[in-house]
């Protein structure tokens, strides 16, 4: 008799279990590929956060190590990311007076965000991800991407840039076009075109590393920096110092709100990437462990003088495409980044800033997903659009609110606007549930089916009776709306019976239960009788309905027809 497999202890790193030992070679190759993308992008994202490029490299190795030990995904790559880098830069810009203070606050922000995520993981608060809906996150990411792109355009063109949010940055760039540096523009444009072409036609090639190496070689060989081309300049070699930044406790307190927002956004974005690749391999993602992984990665990054980090969809895609089966690929990339810090930082001194801007733009341009917004706009049935108009497109409106909030108000207010808008639209939609009028569809050899008459042209109405179905839970906010729809139906027709199908009502509260109890009397005022059909267990428990409850719509309709025949025989419809 074979033994049952032993349960994996909770402390065993899921990302380092399973295929480990059977695919080490593939994981090492994938790690090499991730490193080729991670190094130039980490340098570039540090500039988005408003700190020296080396801060991005400091963050990467320990973040990869801690996530491998604490996280639940086998393929997720953790490191500096554009969205959280921009959030970090926004938070720090309002607190720091100079570069040194900006570095200290950036490191402190990573510590605060890591602590918040770690505590949330220990408290098993992974469910909070559900409070940022996918449409809100999509609009938020598109707004971030557009803000990042417009912020990088002056560096790409060697021209002055604007200040403030998206409109100010865009206006500053447009008004400064007369001061464009031709050499910078040429280098940045060529780099951007090559990056986009390589990503389009040779997706497995580490485009960022190729372009970075070629631009460094061109700058070194032709002496372009002596001709006025701005370069990164000296990067310190060696490992970062370990410890806390020079901040007071009051400084940490001022970072709590920003740290919470970064932890929430980073968690939601990383969780989306982790679930995408877990679904392909049949794995399961533990949201609480993801919080622990994110928290540990950020704490380690802050203690090693790094910036905020989170899971990266683009680098995870590179990792998965290269054949990664476990977090050995992440550990390989971490080791190679350490070797880069020790021996290779001098190679990046001649890296043009315009090329860094091109790397950032190429990395985030795919996030401007206009087709997703179009899909959200169309993701509503014609019947609902006719009834509710634009209000029926709640997901699209939530995404649009987050997008415009980021562009006009900034990253943190934009996220808040998107979440609040999403909740308000959800409340509005739940307070106006769809009340469908049903018709019977008869098929050869089939039992009659009751379907939404607006969706099925073959649906036949029942003579003398109207059949309605409430699609959604009934509670205090929508009970009167449903009451009025049912009473209006009884008032507007000569039907002697109104059948209310409760199969699609998953729950009722006390207010809705009392409404259903008195609904029969209110319908009777208009000369009709109310019949309830297919009630669920909780609905049945809550109701004190005076009349019979029917197990099917067909039986309720049959009862209504029988009453109508009796009333016709007795001389007409009862008052």
């Amino acid at each position: 008799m074979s033994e049952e497999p032993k349960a994996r202890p909770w402390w065993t790193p899921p990302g380092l279990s399973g295929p480990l030992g059977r695919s080490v070679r593939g994981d090492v190759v994938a790690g090499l590929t991730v490193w080729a993308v991670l190094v130039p992008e980490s340098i570039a994202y540090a500039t988005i956060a408003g700190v020296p490029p080396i801060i991005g490299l400091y963050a990467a190795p320990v973040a990869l190590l801690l996530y491998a030990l604490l996280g639940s995904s086998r393929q997720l790559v953790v490191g500096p990311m554009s969205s959280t880098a921009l959030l970090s830069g926004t938070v720090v810009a309002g607190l720091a007076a100079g570069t040194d203070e900006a570095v200290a606050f950036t490191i402190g922000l990573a510590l605060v965000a890591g602590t918040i995520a770690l505590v949330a993981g220990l408290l098993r608060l992974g469910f909070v991800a559900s409070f940022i809906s996918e449409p809100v996150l999509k609009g938020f990411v598109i707004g971030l991407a557009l803000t990042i792109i417009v912020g990088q355009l002056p560096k790409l063109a060697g021209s002055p840039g604007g200040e403030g949010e998206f409109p100010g940055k865009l206006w500053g760039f447009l008004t400064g076009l007369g001061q464009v540096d031709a050499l910078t523009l040429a280098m940045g444009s060529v780099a951007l075109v090559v990056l986009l072409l390589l990503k389009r036609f040779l997706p497995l090639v580490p485009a960022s590393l190729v372009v970075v190496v070629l631009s460094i070689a061109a700058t070194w060989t032709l002496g372009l920096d002596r001709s006025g081309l701005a370069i990164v300049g000296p990067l310190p070699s060696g490992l970062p110092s370990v410890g806390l930044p020079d901040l007071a406790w009051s400084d940490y307190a001022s970072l709590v709100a920003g740290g919470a927002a970064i932890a929430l956004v980073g968690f939601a974005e990383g969780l989306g990437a982790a679930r995408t690749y877990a679904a392909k391999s049949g794995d399961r993602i533990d949201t609480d462990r993801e919080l622990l992984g994110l928290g540990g990665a950020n704490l380690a990054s802050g203690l090693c003088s790094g910036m905020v980090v989170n899971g990266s969809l683009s680098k995870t895609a590179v990792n998965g495409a290269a054949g990664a089966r476990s977090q050995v690929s992440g550990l390989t990339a971490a080791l190679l980044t350490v070797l880069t810090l020790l021996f290779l930082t001098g190679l990046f001194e001649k890296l043009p800033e315009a090329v860094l801007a091109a790397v950032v733009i190429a990395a985030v341009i795919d996030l401007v997903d206009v087709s997703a917004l179009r899909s959200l706009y169309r993701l509503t049935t014609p019947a609902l659009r006719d009834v509710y108009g634009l209000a029926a497109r709640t997901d699209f409106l939530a995404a649009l609110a987050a997008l415009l909030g980021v562009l006009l108000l900034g990253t943190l207010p934009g996220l808040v606007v998107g979440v609040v808008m999403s909740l308000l639209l959800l409340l509005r939609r739940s307070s106006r549930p769809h009340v469908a009028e049903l018709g019977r569809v008869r098929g050869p050899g089939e039992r009659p089916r009751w379907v939404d008459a607006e969706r099925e042209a073959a649906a036949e109405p029942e003579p003398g009776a109207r059949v309605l179905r409430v699609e959604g839970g009934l509670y205090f906010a929508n009970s009167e709306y449903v009451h009025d729809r049912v009473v209006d139906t009884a008032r507007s027709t000569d039907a002697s019976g109104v059948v209310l199908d409760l199969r699609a009502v998953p729950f009722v509260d006390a207010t809705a239960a009392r409404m259903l109890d008195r609904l029969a009397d209110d319908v009777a005022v208009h000369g009709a009788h109310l019949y309830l059909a297919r009630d669920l267990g909780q609905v049945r428990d809550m109701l004190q309905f005076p009349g019979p409850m029917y197990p099917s719509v067909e039986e309720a309709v049959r009862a209504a027809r029988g009453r109508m025949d009796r009333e016709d025989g007795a001389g007409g419809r009862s008052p």
Side-chain angles (χ1 to χ4, degrees):
M1 183 176 178
S2 61
E3 294 183 1
E4 294 185 3
K6 294 182 179 180
R8 174 172 51 82
W10 70 269
W11 45 263
T12 302
L16 293 172
S17 61
L20 182 61
R22 301 197 297 272
S23 62
V24 172
R25 179 180 299 179
D27 286 331
V28 170
V29 173
L32 178 63
T33 307
V34 169
W35 168 81
V37 177
L38 179 68
V39 169
E41 289 192 356
S42 296
I43 293 173
Y45 293 151
T47 64
I48 296 178
V51 292
I54 196 66
I55 302 299
L57 284 182
Y58 286 162
V62 289
L64 290 167
L65 173 62
L66 264 291
Y67 180 82
L69 296 176
L70 299 176
S72 65
S73 171
R74 301 184 196 277
Q75 288 92 15
L76 185 67
V77 177
V78 173
M81 270 294 291
S82 56
S83 56
T84 47
L86 183 61
L87 280 168
S88 175
T90 302
V91 172
V92 170
L95 300 172
T99 302
D100 291 341
E101 282 195 6
V103 170
F105 275 105
T106 297
I107 296 170
L109 187 59
L111 293 171
V112 172
T115 301
I116 291 172
L118 195 63
V119 171
L122 292 173
L123 295 177
R124 306 185 69 81
L125 299 179
F127 66 88
V128 297
S130 61
F131 286 94
I132 299 185
S133 67
E134 184 178 345
V136 167
L137 189 59
K138 176 64 70 175
F140 177 73
V141 169
I142 292 175
L144 277 178
L146 290 172
T147 302
I148 291 169
I149 289 172
V150 78
Q152 295 298 308
L153 288 177
K155 298 178 182 178
L156 188 79
S159 63
E163 299 293 335
E165 308 307 334
F166 180 86
K169 291 180 178 179
L170 180 61
W171 179 252
F173 171 70
L174 294 176
T175 55
L177 286 177
Q179 304 176 52
V180 166
D181 181 75
L183 178 59
T184 302
L185 179 62
M187 176 64 77
S189 301
V190 170
L192 181 59
V193 169
V194 173
L195 280 166
L196 296 177
L197 289 176
L198 287 176
K199 286 190 172 189
R200 174 67 176 84
F201 297 106
L202 297 172
L204 295 182
V205 173
S208 299
L209 186 65
V210 169
V211 169
V212 164
V213 169
L214 291 177
S215 66
I216 290 173
T219 303
W220 198 293
T221 304
L222 302 176
L224 298 179
D225 53 321
R226 294 192 295 272
S227 300
L229 182 66
I231 59 174
V232 169
L235 293 175
S237 61
L239 300 179
S241 59
V242 178
L244 298 174
D246 185 17
L247 293 175
W249 286 113
S250 59
D251 294 327
Y252 284 109
S254 66
L255 295 171
V256 169
I262 287 172
L264 187 59
V265 172
F267 173 54
E269 194 171 348
L271 186 62
R275 282 177 170 168
T276 298
Y277 284 87
K280 296 180 180 180
S281 56
D283 294 332
R284 180 177 296 177
I285 297 300
D286 185 333
T287 56
D288 297 318
R289 287 203 74 128
E290 287 302 294
L291 278 171
L292 293 176
L294 176 66
N298 274 286
L299 273 175
S301 174
L303 290 173
C304 292
S305 305
M307 58 186 288
V308 292
V309 296
N310 65 284
S312 165
L313 180 59
S314 59
K315 287 187 275 291
T316 303
V318 170
N319 195 33
R325 297 287 302 282
S326 77
Q327 283 294 333
V328 169
S329 62
L331 297 179
T332 302
L335 177 60
L336 292 172
T337 308
V338 169
L339 294 177
T340 302
L341 285 168
L342 291 173
F343 307 112
L344 302 179
T345 54
L347 298 178
F348 292 94
E349 293 182 4
K350 297 288 186 177
L351 175 60
E353 290 188 356
V355 174
L356 272 184
V359 169
V360 172
I361 293 173
V364 303
I365 198 168
D366 290 337
L367 300 179
V368 186
D369 194 353
V370 178
S371 62
L373 291 179
R374 273 201 303 268
S375 298
L376 289 173
Y377 184 79
R378 292 195 293 258
L379 195 63
T380 313
T381 63
L384 288 179
R385 288 199 294 268
D386 292 342
V387 174
Y388 296 111
L390 188 63
R393 299 182 170 95
T394 54
D395 290 333
F396 170 76
L397 290 176
L400 187 64
L403 169 59
L404 295 177
V406 171
L407 294 182
L408 300 178
L409 303 176
T411 49
L412 293 179
L415 177 62
V416 173
V417 167
V419 172
V420 171
M421 184 71 170
S422 181
L423 292 175
L424 289 176
L425 291 171
L426 175 63
L427 290 174
R428 185 189 188 283
R429 182 164 53 185
S430 68
S431 69
R432 298 290 187 271
H434 182 50
V435 180
E437 183 163 355
L438 306 186
R440 184 190 286 108
V441 174
R442 304 177 187 271
E446 296 181 0
R447 296 179 60 185
R449 294 183 298 113
W450 291 90
V451 298
D452 190 339
E454 290 185 342
R455 296 173 180 269
E456 295 265 359
E460 302 174 356
E462 173 66 20
R466 300 287 291 275
V467 182
L468 304 177
R469 181 176 66 206
V470 181
E471 299 180 350
L474 284 174
Y475 67 111
F476 65 93
N478 63 21
S479 60
E480 286 306 311
Y481 173 80
V482 172
H483 170 276
D484 293 346
R485 289 295 306 275
V486 176
V487 172
D488 287 346
T489 300
R491 179 191 299 118
S492 62
T493 66
D494 59 357
S496 63
V498 177
V499 176
L500 192 59
D501 182 3
L502 299 178
R503 181 69 177 269
V505 178
F507 67 91
V508 295
D509 70 354
T511 303
R514 285 194 294 270
M515 180 275 293
L516 289 173
D517 293 340
R518 62 180 168 84
L519 186 58
D521 293 336
D522 296 338
V523 169
V525 171
H526 302 285
H529 296 279
L530 179 68
Y531 304 84
L532 299 187
R534 299 201 296 182
D535 57 311
L536 298 178
Q538 194 220 6
V539 176
R540 186 183 307 115
D541 295 339
M542 292 286 292
L543 294 185
Q544 303 292 327
F545 188 66
M549 309 284 287
Y550 295 90
S552 69
V553 172
E554 194 67 32
E555 290 189 37
V557 169
R558 195 178 301 123
R561 191 186 306 122
R563 178 185 287 269
M564 181 175 62
D565 291 342
R566 290 193 300 272
E567 291 175 352
D568 288 343
R573 179 178 173 181
S574 60

